[in-house]
Amino acid sequence: RLDWQIWLAATTKRLQPWMYTFLVKLLEQEADVLDLLESDPWMEDGIKPKYIRVEAYEYSYHRPTKGETKKPYWDRRRIRRLHPRQGLASIESITDLIARDDHLFGYPL
């Protein structure tokens, strides 16, 4: 399952090789890849995304405070950025990375 694979990928210091291809396919708006998601995060804008980033968050069950009226199910806390270390990644930057490190990926894009 995709959610499990993404969770495992976030437990490492570097993204898993399949994640780079996944990011490129998201940026290209490939229908088969978007179907893996609950909804297309860019559908409302109607504009193909140019950049992407991956950040890790820690989730915990929300513990309501006294007088709270709207209770979220989850609380989340940003842990770190996974990719890229700074700025945003584009299709070109990700495919360049894959081309440079194709021995790590074991398959072409």
Side-chain angles (χ1 to χ4, degrees):
R1 292 189 26 175
L2 181 61
D3 55 345
W4 180 249
Q5 291 296 325
I6 291 173
W7 180 83
L8 286 173
T11 64
T12 63
K13 296 279 184 197
R14 182 177 177 169
L15 288 184
Q16 301 294 313
W18 68 268
M19 276 289 288
Y20 294 99
T21 304
F22 178 69
L23 295 175
V24 168
K25 301 300 182 185
L26 283 175
L27 288 169
E28 292 174 338
Q29 296 283 276
E30 188 170 295
D32 289 340
V33 173
L34 291 174
D35 286 345
L36 296 171
L37 306 177
E38 184 176 338
S39 63
D40 179 351
W42 300 280
M43 184 180 291
E44 286 182 23
D45 297 335
I47 300 171
K48 187 175 174 180
K50 293 181 183 180
Y51 305 102
I52 199 164
R53 68 176 174 226
V54 180
E55 297 183 323
Y57 288 86
E58 176 182 87
Y59 286 84
S60 60
Y61 288 110
H62 180 71
R63 295 183 180 197
T65 58
K66 187 176 181 181
E68 192 173 27
T69 57
K70 190 173 184 181
K71 302 173 187 173
Y73 191 75
W74 296 104
D75 289 325
R76 77 177 194 168
R77 179 179 65 88
R78 184 180 180 273
I79 298 172
R80 69 183 184 280
R81 177 170 299 183
L82 294 172
H83 183 79
R85 290 185 186 188
Q86 295 179 350
L88 299 168
S90 65
I91 291 175
E92 294 80 15
S93 68
I94 299 170
T95 54
D96 287 349
L97 177 68
I98 293 170
R100 274 197 322 268
D101 294 337
D102 63 348
H103 65 283
L104 297 175
F105 293 92
Y107 54 88
L109 182 61

